[in-house]
Amino acid sequence: MSRIRLLVGLGNPGPEYSQTRHNAGFWLVEQFARSHGHQLQPDSKFFGNTTRIQQGALDLRVLQPMQFMNRSGNAVALLAHFYKILPEEILVAYDELDLPAGVAKFKTGGGTGGHNGIKDIVARLGSQNFHRLRIGIGHPGDKSKVTGWVLGKAPAHEQQLMDDTITEACRSIDLLLQQDMRAAQQHLHSFKAQREK
């Protein structure tokens, strides 16, 4: 059984951002909490919305940092330190420009890929050794268009691809929690393969 004790979803707070691609991590943790009969509630001491899912041997905290993306690490570090959660017991879900919409991939450690939320988490935790779930949002094709792209709303067909992927990613996280990373990765991989048929 995996030792993930904290699931984090990255995004920007506020209704003007709620439907933007940059909030894919928010969508995931909201859906994951719902699938377990929970809802994220504001918790001012951690600067975010949180819930705790306990089922059998599972004891998982879920966090949505409610400061802006480039300050996400503050909430993550505060909660992790408070509950003595190690970086390798954390899974962070976020939007990924380098993957097309409809694809999600797990990754452990490594660089930040230029993602401001991940950069801040690495800086605040003092470690890169946390797990990541990268949710593809596609790339606009030109560096100068990236900001408008991530803070823009996806067209309906793209949004549907992301929604379907997030549903499967939530199932993968369940597999990760019940079994291991390999089972979770295989589930996402077989979902992608089926979709490409």
Side-chain angles (χ1 to χ4, degrees):
M1 189 167 151
S2 152
R3 282 292 291 154
I4 298 292
R5 295 173 58 209
L6 172 59
L7 170 64
V8 180
L10 300 186
N12 282 311
E16 68 273 35
Y17 295 108
S18 66
Q19 299 304 308
T20 64
R21 292 180 178 93
H22 219 14
N23 275 34
F26 271 16
W27 305 337
L28 179 129
V29 289
E30 285 164 4
Q31 185 167 330
F32 185 80
R34 266 199 313 274
S35 73
H36 287 269
H38 286 254
Q39 221 174 352
L40 293 152
Q41 302 291 346
D43 189 334
S44 58
K45 75 173 174 288
F46 299 127
F47 297 98
N49 297 334
T50 68
T51 190
R52 182 181 186 185
I53 300 170
Q54 291 175 289
Q55 285 163 346
L58 174 66
D59 188 357
L60 179 74
R61 300 200 179 259
V62 184
L63 170 68
Q64 218 177 19
M66 279 302 186
Q67 294 175 297
F68 282 93
M69 183 68 88
N70 59 354
R71 296 186 60 204
S72 302
N74 188 36
V76 177
L78 281 170
L79 192 144
H81 292 153
F82 188 84
Y83 292 113
K84 298 182 172 51
I85 296 170
L86 301 170
E88 44 274 27
E89 297 175 321
I90 300 172
L91 173 64
V92 181
Y94 61 98
D95 57 303
E96 174 60 77
L97 284 158
D98 293 336
L99 294 175
V103 174
K105 284 186 177 176
F106 287 101
K107 173 185 168 181
T108 299
T112 64
H115 194 285
N116 289 333
I118 297 297
K119 275 186 200 167
D120 197 53
I121 293 171
V122 168
R124 300 289 184 130
L125 288 178
S127 171
Q128 299 182 333
N129 295 337
F130 52 91
H131 305 281
R132 298 105 190 261
L133 175 59
R134 301 149 64 215
I135 302 160
I137 60 166
H139 197 288
D142 190 317
K143 229 176 176 166
S144 65
K145 295 180 181 160
V146 162
T147 303
W149 181 265
V150 297
L151 296 178
K153 200 177 164 186
H157 70 280
E158 240 178 75
Q159 188 63 50
Q160 190 60 57
L161 285 174
M162 288 190 279
D163 290 346
D164 292 350
T165 303
I166 284 170
T167 298
E168 292 308 319
C170 285
R171 290 183 184 141
S172 293
I173 294 170
D174 281 326
L175 286 171
L176 170 59
L177 295 167
Q178 292 154 13
Q179 297 176 40
D180 55 25
M181 181 61 86
R182 222 176 96 203
Q185 286 172 322
Q186 278 173 340
H187 180 84
L188 271 188
H189 191 73
S190 62
F191 165 68
K192 181 174 174 273
Q194 276 173 326
R195 175 178 254 162
E196 285 167 356
K197 274 181 185 169

